[in-house]
Amino acid sequence: MKKIGFGASSAKIIWFGEHSVVYGQPAIALPLPAVEVTAQIETSSESSSQIFSRYYDGDWQQIPAEMNGIKRLSEYVANNLQLPSTTFRLSIDSAIPAERGMGSSAATAVAITRAFFDLAERHLTRSDLLKIADVSEQVTHGNPSGLDAATASAQWPIWYVKNQENTQLPINLPKATMVIADSGVKGKTSVAVNQVKEQLIMNPETKDIIAEMGSVAQQVPAALKANDVVSLGSLMNQNHELLRQLHVSTAQLDLMQAQALKSGALGAKLTGSGLGGCLIAIAPNSRIAQKVADDLLLVGASATWIQPLNQFEKQD
Ligand code: MEV
């Protein structure tokens, strides 16, 4: 067995269909290769395992042993791999802001799992990786759709339906550029998902909003096929409006959405579970994308990223 194992994964954005995906509607999500988390695992002779982490806005810190999913996930993977050493030193270095709808927890789980398999020199299939990341997400988020884990373990945009084999988006992506902007406020997925669940109980018409979000996602493949970035932008605006009706947007996200459109974006929406987190906006070219990103910083975004859409390589 090797003494050190490495693993990596990336952030994700949900392009269409967050929340409605929990109720069986399709969602479309993209990994963000430029925003990465890495995990390094070393066997240790200490009496207990140690976990160190550094998140995008922080310094290195040791995570208390009793804390959360990371320790449980590490034990689960180590036991499943039947590793001889029982104590480890795990270092997580993440450029993904946590609790901002960018899939930090799923990406971290994928990076850790890959690092353990690398340490054990064992081949990791995508389906095993997904199963493990799903277990970890259950601990962190309660009852997730599995979308984050599926995107974190993919290197390409996916079309995702809960409990179904997820697939690579079958269409080439257009020559447009996505801007991602952090509203600077954390939003907890489990809180937002529960809030929507309660709204469904209190107001049965909420299910029409969910169905409409599904129908917005269903229109995306045709817009992609026609290379119709204007329609994609308009579908993003519709998706944002439906998320507002689910009460998961915030005043800051709405302000940023309006600003993105004013600055030249063809569409913009919150991404992820909401109640904080990030906005995504689609721009027709990189010059306008840069202007959108700069203007969003002026209206309070705490960070921005730019991802050209045609930089994904289609896998067969
Ligand atoms: C996932 O990042 C956000 C939600 O769609 C919840 C889920 O898919 O489990 C809101």
Side-chain angles (χ1 to χ4, degrees):
M1 193 178 81
K2 285 203 314 196
K3 288 261 172 23
I4 299 190
F6 293 100
S9 180
S10 67
K12 67 103 203 357
I13 48 175
I14 300 178
W15 195 359
F16 293 96
E18 52 278 270
H19 285 290
S20 48
V21 69
V22 175
Y23 299 95
Q25 299 290 347
I28 295 163
L30 314 175
L32 281 182
V35 188
E36 206 187 35
V37 51
T38 58
Q40 177 180 312
I41 180 104
E42 283 171 73
T43 49
S44 131
S45 50
E46 305 280 331
S47 57
S48 63
S49 292
Q50 292 167 301
I51 303 171
F52 296 88
S53 69
R54 182 170 65 173
Y55 280 88
Y56 102 122
D57 43 5
D59 295 327
W60 280 103
Q61 53 171 288
Q62 186 165 4
I63 296 185
E66 65 283 2
M67 198 184 127
N68 78 34
I70 291 184
K71 182 163 180 281
R72 278 158 74 180
L73 169 70
S74 305
E75 284 168 359
Y76 175 82
V77 182
N79 287 340
N80 270 279
L81 284 169
Q82 296 177 324
L83 295 177
S85 171
T86 49
T87 59
F88 302 95
R89 188 189 159 95
L90 170 63
S91 308
I92 300 158
D93 196 359
S94 180
I96 311 173
E99 297 181 349
R100 308 295 217 290
M102 288 173 80
S104 164
S105 63
T108 305
V110 166
I112 292 171
T113 306
R114 285 182 172 147
F116 269 107
F117 274 72
D118 184 41
L119 181 80
E121 296 180 322
R122 291 265 295 275
H123 175 67
L124 176 62
T125 63
R126 178 142 192 265
S127 103
D128 282 345
L129 177 60
L130 259 177
K131 267 184 226 146
I132 296 167
D134 262 341
V135 169
S136 167
E137 286 290 277
Q138 303 282 348
V139 175
T140 317
H141 292 316
N143 189 19
S145 67
L147 172 61
D148 287 10
T151 317
S153 55
Q155 264 119 38
W156 57 86
I158 62 167
W159 170 269
Y160 183 85
V161 179
K162 190 176 170 179
N163 299 329
Q164 285 182 19
E165 182 91 351
N166 57 85
T167 49
Q168 177 175 353
L169 216 54
I171 297 130
N172 288 323
L173 295 181
K175 264 199 185 147
T177 301
M178 200 71 93
V179 178
I180 301 103
D182 185 357
S183 71
V185 176
K186 292 187 177 189
K188 254 202 168 326
T189 300
S190 54
V191 175
V193 169
N194 277 334
Q195 186 186 298
V196 172
K197 195 167 150 193
E198 270 167 34
Q199 192 182 329
L200 266 163
I201 296 166
M202 303 300 285
N203 180 1
E205 279 167 19
T206 306
K207 70 175 182 336
D208 299 339
I209 304 174
I210 301 280
E212 215 176 316
M213 279 175 66
S215 102
V216 167
Q218 296 280 8
Q219 294 172 58
V220 173
L224 285 172
K225 206 168 175 183
N227 214 354
D228 185 352
V229 188
V230 172
S231 292
L232 287 169
S234 148
L235 291 167
M236 287 170 73
N237 292 336
Q238 287 174 49
N239 197 147
H240 183 76
E241 176 52 32
L242 293 163
L243 288 162
R244 270 169 48 80
Q245 291 171 23
L246 288 181
H247 305 293
V248 292
S249 190
T250 63
Q252 176 62 18
L253 284 165
D254 289 345
L255 175 84
M256 284 165 49
Q257 201 258 356
Q259 182 61 54
L261 299 180
K262 254 189 241 157
S263 302
L266 298 170
K269 64 179 275 291
L270 77 83
T271 183
S273 54
L275 299 180
C278 289
L279 182 93
I280 56 173
I282 192 164
N285 58 48
S286 55
R287 187 184 51 80
I288 295 180
Q290 191 59 58
K291 170 156 177 51
V292 171
D294 292 347
D295 290 354
L296 287 175
L297 287 170
L298 294 176
V299 296
S302 61
T304 57
W305 298 262
I306 289 179
Q307 172 71 53
L309 280 179
N310 61 354
Q311 267 179 15
F312 292 99
E313 274 183 33
K314 214 161 160 236
Q315 319 270 312
D316 292 317

